[in-house]
């Protein structure tokens, strides 16, 4: 399921006090899906633009945020639509103006007739896709009338309706949309057009599931099932720029409507209005409809013509998500172990427990694995770490407690995988908000253990999780230190982080020739694990596979001797990543000697046992990070297909 915006692309020019300050993509429906793309939903734009710089900007602005652009058609010799937004200071306040003509040269670059290919769009949308429109032009209307998809309409202008009779307008809109979003201008026009006095009467005429009327700082009105709810905006934010606030507001309602299984009631409106106004307060603090999501693209004038006719783009330095995540890692981990989450873990009574399962998927599985080993060491309990589907198909009648490791707190696989087990036996280790987890999972509030704090709210974005793997394991490591009467858990964590950060910085600097051969794209790696190195191997394998740049096969060191060497000896290139603790066993010496005929990266901890297990999990984070730096890519933002996202977002039974 995708949320798809349909329509010709637009590039917006932004001016302040008569000077061009930057450009960005525009158009209401595209702004809406751009906001939704930040809400963990799959989005796409089906539209057209010209083969000019303006078209390039419009497309790039969507792609940079993760909106799928595969169905945008570029038309040769077409000039992409552009809009001009000006801000002029008047006694300290910014006065906002928008128009289709450039304020500098008075040139207009706008075509009225849409160029979208109706047949192509109808052919390439799926039944479950949700379509977003911001006007009812003839080509949009053909799509609206010829598909049965759920549809959303943001109607911010009424001038096009003036060309139609009353009955024609009803035919265009009635029973066609789940939610219609209006502003006060359009509401007033429709009331006058149909000689009615109330919004409820407009609702009866158009018959959507819900009508929203946004009233700026006054709040919003909602009508559904002939019930009217009026919401006041409390403590409105002082506005720098109102542009895009309505788009963002509507985007939240669309997103939450989907997540609420398309159910609209008072509770839904109350909760969603709160979320939507929270977002709009961020929007109005920034210049531009997308200022809260992305900065304006900076441009410079070329030739002796107005910039709106031709320009060069300043290359914006790409900020890598994995850089942000790794740079914040130490602070986030230390905040986690000093949060209330630790006290809740410490208070769990395991004195009579005999069997515990630790569950995670993706990066969280590594943290679950290490934590299970710590509890086994401390209490002698039979512990096992499993993936969610493995839990679902077991007989769990003798299991005393389950620990669910999930960064968001609401991972569907974990909920489904443990759905047959009493919620009172479950503990959730997360950075999610407690109430969201309780609502989604039904697990008791006291059993939700979150390391989210007022000073540690920020969450990692992207496919690779650093904090999500390490923070939960760090909470259990602190328990290990305390129960074993070892001082200095925080110093140990900081020392491990700083050691591996420095180690790999030096290693990658001093071994460029070896690495140039080892780190070739598409390489096949053998990862060797065993002797308190399993969590690191799980984590590294997950990160390598999720980055999409290498293939790898994990070998338990002794199991390798039972015939797995046969495949190894037939490999054209033998590239090995070998995790080991400080102490080297006699078997390991023989294995390392055997592997000397290949290319090896040996990652050796300064510790043995549980401390080694944790130390190497830290090492895994920095190894993959420095690999990404070496390749100059952001491995937190891999490329993937729309088909892949269908299984990623799957929410059904396992």
């Amino acid at each position: 399921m995708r949320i798809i915006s349909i329509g010709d692309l637009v590039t917006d020019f932004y001016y302040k006090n008569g000077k061009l300050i930057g450009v960005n993509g525009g158009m209401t429906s595209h702004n809406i899906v751009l906001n939704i793309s930040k809400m963990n939903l799959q989005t796409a734009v089906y539209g057209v633009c010209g083969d000019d710089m303006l078209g390039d900007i419009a497309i790039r602005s969507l792609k940079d945020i993760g909106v799928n652009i595969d169905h945008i058609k570029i038309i040769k010799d077409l000039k992409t639509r552009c809009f001009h937004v000006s801000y002029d200071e008047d006694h300290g306040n910014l006065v906002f103006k928008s128009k289709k003509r450039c304020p500098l040269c008075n040139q207009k670059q706008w075509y009225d007739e849409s160029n979208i290919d109706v047949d192509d769009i109808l052919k390439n949308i799926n039944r479950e896709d949700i379509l977003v429109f911001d006007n009812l032009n003839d080509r949009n209307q053909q799509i609206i009338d010829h598909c049965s998809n759920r549809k959303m309409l943001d109607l911010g202008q009424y001038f096009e309706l003036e060309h139609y009779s009353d009955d024609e307008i009803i035919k265009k809109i009635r029973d066609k949309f789940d939610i219609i979003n209006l502003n006060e201008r359009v509401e007033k026009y429709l009331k006058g057009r149909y000689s009615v006095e109330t919004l409820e009467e407009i609702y009866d005429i158009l018959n959507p599931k819900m009508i929203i009327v946004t009233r700026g700082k006054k709040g919003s009105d909602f009508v559904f099932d002939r019930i009217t709810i009026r919401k006041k905006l409390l403590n409105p934010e002082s506005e720098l720029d109102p542009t895009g606030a309505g788009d963002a507001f509507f985007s939240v309602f669309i997103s939450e409507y989907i997540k609420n299984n398309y159910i609209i009631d008072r509770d839904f409106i109350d909760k969603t209005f709160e979320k939507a106004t929270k977002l709009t307060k961020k929007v109005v603090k920034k210049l531009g409809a997308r200022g809260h999501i992305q900065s304006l693209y900076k441009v410079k004038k070329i030739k002796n013509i107005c910039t709106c006719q031709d320009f060069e783009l300043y290359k914006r330095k790409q900020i890598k998500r994995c850089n942000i995540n790794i740079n914040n890692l130490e602070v986030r981990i230390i905040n986690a172990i000093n949060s209330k989450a630790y006290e809740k873990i410490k208070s769990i009574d395991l004195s009579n427990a005999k069997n515990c399962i630790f569950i995670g998927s993706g990066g969280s599985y590594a943290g679950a694995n290490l934590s299970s080993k710590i509890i086994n060491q401390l209490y002698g309990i039979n512990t096992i770490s499993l993936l969610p589907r493995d839990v679902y198909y077991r007989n769990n009648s003798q299991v005393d407690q389950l620990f669910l490791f999930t960064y968001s707190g609401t991972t569907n696989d974990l909920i489904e995988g443990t759905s047959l087990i009493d919620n009172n036996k479950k503990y959730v280790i997360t950075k999610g908000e407690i109430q969201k987890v309780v609502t989604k999972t039904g697990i008791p509030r006291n059993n939700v253990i979150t390391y989210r704090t007022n000073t540690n709210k920020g969450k990692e974005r992207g496919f690779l999780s650093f904090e999500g793997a390490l923070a939960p394991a760090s909470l259990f490591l602190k328990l290990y230190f305390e129960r074993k009467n070892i001082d200095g858990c925080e110093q140990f964590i900081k020392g491990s982080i700083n050691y591996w950060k420095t180690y790999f910085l030096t290693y990658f600097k001093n071994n460029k020739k070896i690495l140039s051969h080892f780190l070739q794209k598409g390489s096949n790696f053998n990862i060797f694990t065993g002797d308190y190195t399993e969590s690191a191997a799980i984590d590294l394998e997950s990160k390598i596979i999720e980055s999409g740049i290498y293939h790898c096969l994990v070998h338990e060191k002794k199991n390798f001797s039972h015939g797995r060497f046969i495949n190894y000896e037939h490999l054209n290139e033998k590239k090995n990543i070998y995790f080991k603790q400080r102490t080297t066993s006699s078997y390991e010496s023989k294995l390392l000697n055997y592997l000397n005929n290949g290319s090896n990266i040996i990652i050796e901890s300064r510790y043995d046992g549980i401390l080694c297990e944790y130390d190497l999990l830290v090492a895994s984070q920095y190894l993959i990070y420095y690999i990404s730096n070496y390749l100059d890519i952001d491995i937190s933002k891999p490329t993937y297909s729309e088909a892949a996202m269908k299984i990623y977002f799957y929410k059904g039974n396992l």
Side-chain angles (χ1 to χ4, degrees), residues 565-596:
F565 53 77
I566 297 171
N567 172 267
Y568 178 81
E569 291 187 351
H570 285 86
L571 295 175
N572 292 326
E573 292 186 312
K574 300 174 175 62
K575 298 181 178 181
N576 309 312
I577 299 175
Y578 194 101
F579 287 108
K580 72 179 297 294
Q581 60 180 347
R582 180 181 59 184
T583 301
T584 306
S585 68
S586 58
Y587 169 76
E588 191 163 49
S589 295
K590 294 181 182 295
L591 177 58
L592 286 169
N593 185 60
Y594 170 80
L595 295 176
N596 267 337

Side-chain angles (χ1 to χ4, degrees), residues 14-56:
Y14 289 90
Y15 307 82
K16 187 174 180 181
N17 295 326
K19 183 180 179 181
L20 180 64
I21 58 173
V23 297
N24 207 338
M27 182 173 163
T28 294
S29 63
H30 301 335
N31 293 340
I32 289 169
V33 298
L34 196 78
N35 278 280
I36 292 175
S37 71
K38 306 292 284 185
M39 301 172 190
N40 296 321
L41 290 171
Q42 191 178 0
T43 58
V45 166
Y46 283 41
V48 301
C49 66
D51 60 343
D52 52 5
M53 180 62 80
L54 295 174
D56 180 59

Side-chain angles (χ1 to χ4, degrees), residues 489-528:
C489 179
E490 185 171 321
Q491 288 71 26
F492 175 82
I493 292 171
K494 288 181 178 179
S496 181
I497 289 173
N498 290 325
Y499 175 81
W500 290 112
K501 185 191 301 182
T502 304
Y503 176 87
F504 283 116
L505 177 65
T506 304
Y507 184 88
F508 275 74
K509 183 178 180 180
N510 296 339
N511 294 277
K512 292 181 179 178
K513 186 174 181 179
I514 295 171
L515 291 168
S516 65
H517 166 71
F518 197 91
L519 297 177
Q520 293 176 349
K521 189 169 183 179
S523 290
N524 292 279
F525 296 151
N526 297 285
I527 299 177
F528 287 85

Side-chain angles (χ1 to χ4, degrees), residues 353-356 382 394-401 425:
K354 295 181 180 179
N355 299 289
C356 294
N382 176 34
R394 294 175 82 254
N395 183 332
N396 298 299
S397 60
Q398 298 301 310
V399 173
D400 299 300
Q401 273 114 356
K425 292 184 176 183

Side-chain angles (χ1 to χ4, degrees), residues 69-339:
I69 58 169
D70 292 347
H71 296 280
I72 294 176
K73 306 295 183 184
I74 300 173
I75 299 179
K76 184 175 174 53
D77 297 328
L78 177 71
K79 289 188 175 182
T80 303
R81 288 174 170 179
C82 61
F83 208 79
H84 301 272
V85 184
S86 299
Y87 307 92
D88 297 299
E89 288 191 16
D90 182 15
H91 298 93
N93 297 317
L94 284 181
V95 179
F96 160 79
K97 298 177 183 176
S98 62
K99 56 184 181 179
K100 295 176 182 176
R101 291 189 178 275
C102 172
L104 304 180
C105 70
N106 203 37
Q107 292 295 309
K108 178 181 177 182
Q109 192 162 301
W110 189 276
Y111 54 87
D112 293 317
E113 180 93 19
S114 175
N115 279 291
I116 61 173
D117 187 332
V118 173
D119 292 336
D120 184 67
I121 291 174
L122 288 171
K123 182 175 63 177
N124 285 291
I125 57 176
N126 302 317
R127 175 64 189 88
E128 67 272 17
D129 292 334
I130 295 172
L131 311 183
V132 180
F133 299 89
D134 63 12
N135 66 76
L136 300 169
N137 66 50
D138 290 343
R139 297 198 182 191
N140 278 359
Q141 194 68 48
Q142 290 177 52
I143 297 169
I144 292 166
D145 293 341
H146 288 88
C147 68
S148 56
N149 298 63
R150 292 183 184 272
K151 307 174 192 75
M152 310 291 169
L153 175 64
D154 188 300
L155 200 56
Q157 302 288 342
Y158 58 80
F159 63 87
E160 66 181 0
L161 300 181
E162 295 178 328
H163 302 296
Y164 301 101
S165 68
D166 293 354
D167 289 340
E168 286 174 328
I169 294 174
I170 292 173
K171 186 178 179 182
K172 288 171 74 68
I173 302 176
R174 184 175 174 83
D175 299 323
K176 303 286 177 67
F177 299 96
D178 279 34
I179 306 177
I180 299 175
N181 190 47
L182 310 175
N183 57 35
E184 290 181 293
R185 294 189 306 274
V186 178
E187 177 198 28
K188 182 179 178 181
Y189 172 80
L190 290 173
K191 284 180 179 178
R193 182 72 184 257
Y194 289 99
S195 302
V196 298
E197 296 183 358
T198 67
L199 184 58
E200 291 87 343
E201 291 171 290
I202 296 297
Y203 172 84
D204 287 340
I205 292 169
L206 303 181
N207 200 37
K209 288 191 69 172
M210 179 168 69
I211 279 185
I212 303 172
V213 176
T214 54
R215 305 190 185 282
K217 291 184 178 182
K218 293 180 288 185
S220 301
D221 290 352
F222 305 85
V223 183
F224 70 98
D225 292 339
R226 299 211 87 253
I227 299 169
T228 300
I229 296 178
R230 293 181 171 84
K231 303 290 291 183
K232 290 185 178 181
L233 182 59
L234 302 177
N235 304 314
E237 199 71 44
S238 57
E239 294 183 351
L240 176 63
D241 176 17
T243 310
D247 305 340
F249 185 87
F250 194 24
S251 73
V252 177
F253 270 88
I254 294 172
S255 172
E256 293 302 310
Y257 176 60
I258 295 165
K259 294 174 183 177
N260 203 45
N261 295 317
Y262 311 107
I263 297 170
I264 298 174
D265 54 26
R266 289 180 181 273
D267 185 58
F268 164 77
I269 290 173
D270 289 343
K271 291 179 179 178
T272 308
F273 179 78
E274 184 177 343
K275 292 179 182 178
T277 53
K278 187 176 181 180
L279 177 58
T280 58
K281 287 179 179 181
K282 293 180 181 179
V283 175
V284 298
K285 290 181 180 179
K286 302 287 186 178
L287 284 179
R290 303 177 179 180
H292 60 296
I293 297 176
Q294 60 186 175
S295 301
L296 295 176
Y297 294 89
K298 302 298 182 181
V299 300
K300 58 182 178 179
K301 185 175 182 178
I302 59 173
K303 303 177 183 177
N304 193 27
I305 56 175
C306 184
T307 314
C308 74
Q309 301 300 312
D310 201 3
F311 57 81
E312 286 183 355
L313 183 67
Y314 284 111
K315 287 191 176 179
R316 182 186 296 169
K317 185 179 179 181
Q318 294 294 316
I319 298 174
K320 297 177 181 177
R321 288 177 180 171
C322 63
N323 288 2
I324 296 171
N325 294 341
I326 207 77
N327 290 337
N328 288 313
L329 185 60
E330 181 179 312
V331 171
R332 287 173 172 171
I333 298 305
I334 299 306
N335 281 338
I337 66 169
N338 291 322
S339 69

